[in-house]
Amino acid sequence: MRIATLTSGGDCPGLNAVIRAIVRTSSSEFGSNVVGFEDGWIGLMEDRRVQLYDDERIDRVLRLGGTMLGTGRVHPDILMSSLDRIKENLDDAGIDALIPIGGEGTLKAGKWLADNGVPVVGVPKTIDNDVNATDYTFGFDTAVAVATDAVDRLHTTAESHQRVMIVEVMGRHVGWIALHSGMAGGAHHIVIPEVPFDIEEICKQMERRFQMGEKYGIIVVAEGATPKEGTMTYDEGGVDQFGHQTFTGIGQVIGDEIKRRIGRDVRTTVLGHIQRGGTPTAYDRVLATRYGVQAARAAHRGEFGKIVALKGENIELVDIDDAVSVLKTVPIERYRTAQALFG
């Protein structure tokens, strides 16, 4: 049997661990070869493939961030217009199964290919942790660890200068990173897309801290956060060439409003792609490895149209439909747990 894999969408800590596990499992358990398509779907469309060997190089990528295959994005319309070419490239390479590794967009593309007769087993990845049907995606733990470390460091400088510090983290549509890093880092307020914020409430909360003798405040904000309707206006950004919403810096907007309303010194730190880079945590390496092993086994068993998913302590197979039907958002009760610690 010959397996192909690719990584698509944003890079993510743990991608190399998945690739390594697919290659080593296919080789050791089934004697199968694995090829990788470079730069995501583009490489599949252009037939840019490389042979992946079970050797020292594949063994050493476990601890590395990014992806050894490269990644990229392609507009869904372009991908769908390339179906015949994709099938031809897979046939020419003698591919029996394709394992795409990616987030919601990649898995939607995988579902479309599966619906059109391509044997697909998907592996969910995203630092945002927003893929449905799995408890956690690899990359999330690393992103939270990076963001938490930043919050920890900002406590001391904020207190020294008696400032309010805004920390903007990734999260277009969901606030998992903001929620977990804010709770772990002891933030005094957390703003997530699932719960529109009231700027007046945030300002009162920060002012109350100073009135009670506290010297500073830390607020963690997800990049996709929005204000309650009618409370304030801001530039909502637009949409990029791939259909993804672009943002104009809600952390800075909140910081400017706090400074204007309560007259305190406010600084904003945007973590951006720092959250996606660097060495994956041990948890993400293990989860990514388990995903890769089970994806390779599922492909050899012919269990297509599925993704691997974490359910409790087990890795299970679920329908791709379940993974792409809705985004996994932060439950309101989880946010209310954090709210108990605000102020």
Side-chain angles (χ1 to χ4, degrees), residues 43-117:
L44 177 56
M45 291 160 52
E46 298 179 354
D47 197 21
R48 289 194 275 112
R49 63 180 186 267
V50 293
Q51 183 68 45
L52 299 175
Y53 297 99
D54 186 5
D55 56 13
E56 288 186 0
R57 185 192 178 204
I58 204 71
D59 194 39
R60 291 172 179 170
V61 299
L62 173 67
R63 63 185 181 276
L64 302 180
T67 164
M68 65 182 293
L69 292 175
T71 189
R73 301 185 191 276
V74 64
H75 195 281
D77 291 343
I78 296 176
L79 183 67
M80 287 189 285
S81 68
S82 304
L83 179 60
D84 290 341
R85 192 190 328 163
I86 288 172
K87 287 186 173 182
E88 287 175 8
N89 292 340
L90 291 172
D91 287 342
D92 288 345
I95 301 303
D96 299 295
L98 175 65
I99 303 178
I101 311 166
E104 181 204 16
T106 301
L107 296 179
K108 282 183 176 179
K111 177 189 180 310
W112 170 75
L113 286 174
D115 290 343
N116 282 277

Side-chain angles (χ1 to χ4, degrees), residues 17 62 141-142 145 279-289:
L62 173 67
D141 187 71
T142 303
T279 302
T281 60
Y283 179 89
D284 279 339
R285 296 185 209 186
V286 171
L287 180 58
T289 297

Side-chain angles (χ1 to χ4, degrees), residues 23-319:
V23 172
R24 302 204 72 176
T25 303
S26 297
S27 174
S28 64
E29 294 191 359
F30 304 97
S32 298
N33 293 320
V34 178
V35 299
F37 286 99
E38 297 178 314
D39 304 326
W41 299 116
I42 298 171
L44 177 56
M45 291 160 52
E46 298 179 354
D47 197 21
R48 289 194 275 112
R49 63 180 186 267
V50 293
Q51 183 68 45
L52 299 175
Y53 297 99
D54 186 5
D55 56 13
E56 288 186 0
R57 185 192 178 204
I58 204 71
D59 194 39
R60 291 172 179 170
V61 299
L62 173 67
R63 63 185 181 276
L64 302 180
T67 164
M68 65 182 293
L69 292 175
T71 189
R73 301 185 191 276
V74 64
H75 195 281
D77 291 343
I78 296 176
L79 183 67
M80 287 189 285
S81 68
S82 304
L83 179 60
D84 290 341
R85 192 190 328 163
I86 288 172
K87 287 186 173 182
E88 287 175 8
N89 292 340
L90 291 172
D91 287 342
D92 288 345
I95 301 303
D96 299 295
L98 175 65
I99 303 178
I101 311 166
E104 181 204 16
T106 301
L107 296 179
K108 282 183 176 179
K111 177 189 180 310
W112 170 75
L113 286 174
D115 290 343
N116 282 277
V118 177
V120 170
V121 177
V123 176
K125 71 87 190 153
T126 169
I127 66 168
D128 290 331
N129 196 41
D130 61 0
V131 174
N132 196 38
T134 185
D135 291 351
Y136 287 101
T137 52
F138 68 87
F140 173 65
D141 187 71
T142 303
V144 170
V146 170
T148 300
D149 181 66
V151 173
D152 287 347
R153 292 171 184 274
L154 288 172
H155 273 281
T156 54
T157 185
E159 184 174 15
S160 296
H161 291 274
Q162 301 182 36
R163 289 171 173 157
V164 175
M165 286 286 192
I166 312 293
V167 187
E168 183 180 303
V169 300
M170 285 184 168
R172 281 193 179 100
H173 307 293
V174 301
W176 288 104
I177 296 175
L179 182 73
H180 279 228
S181 63
M183 291 179 70
H188 305 115
H189 198 94
I190 301 169
V191 185
I192 63 174
E194 293 89 340
V195 183
F197 66 88
D198 185 336
I199 189 63
E200 185 63 28
E201 178 184 329
I202 295 175
C203 288
K204 287 180 178 178
Q205 203 170 69
M206 291 300 106
E207 184 65 13
R208 190 180 306 119
R209 284 185 56 78
F210 287 103
Q211 290 173 350
M212 293 175 61
E214 299 289 350
K215 295 182 178 180
Y216 73 105
I218 301 284
I219 303 172
V220 177
V221 180
E223 63 183 338
T226 57
K228 285 184 178 178
E229 187 175 353
T231 58
M232 61 179 284
T233 59
Y234 78 110
D235 181 1
E236 297 185 22
V239 177
D240 66 17
Q241 60 181 317
F242 306 107
H244 297 148
Q245 185 178 356
T246 58
F247 299 99
T248 56
I250 191 63
Q252 187 64 52
V253 170
I254 291 174
D256 291 343
E257 281 294 310
I258 293 174
K259 183 175 183 179
R260 183 179 69 83
R261 296 184 183 215
I262 71 174
R264 295 288 178 176
D265 190 14
V266 184
R267 300 296 170 90
T268 300
T269 298
V270 180
L271 296 185
H273 291 80
I274 291 173
Q275 297 156 89
R276 289 212 313 227
T279 302
T281 60
Y283 179 89
D284 279 339
R285 296 185 209 186
V286 171
L287 180 58
T289 297
R290 295 178 70 195
Y291 276 167
V293 170
Q294 296 305 327
R297 289 173 175 171
H300 283 85
R301 291 193 301 263
E303 299 184 74
F304 303 125
K306 308 282 188 180
I307 71 161
V308 290
L310 179 66
K311 298 287 190 179
E313 293 297 318
N314 300 317
I315 305 296
E316 301 179 2
L317 290 176
V318 300
D319 290 338

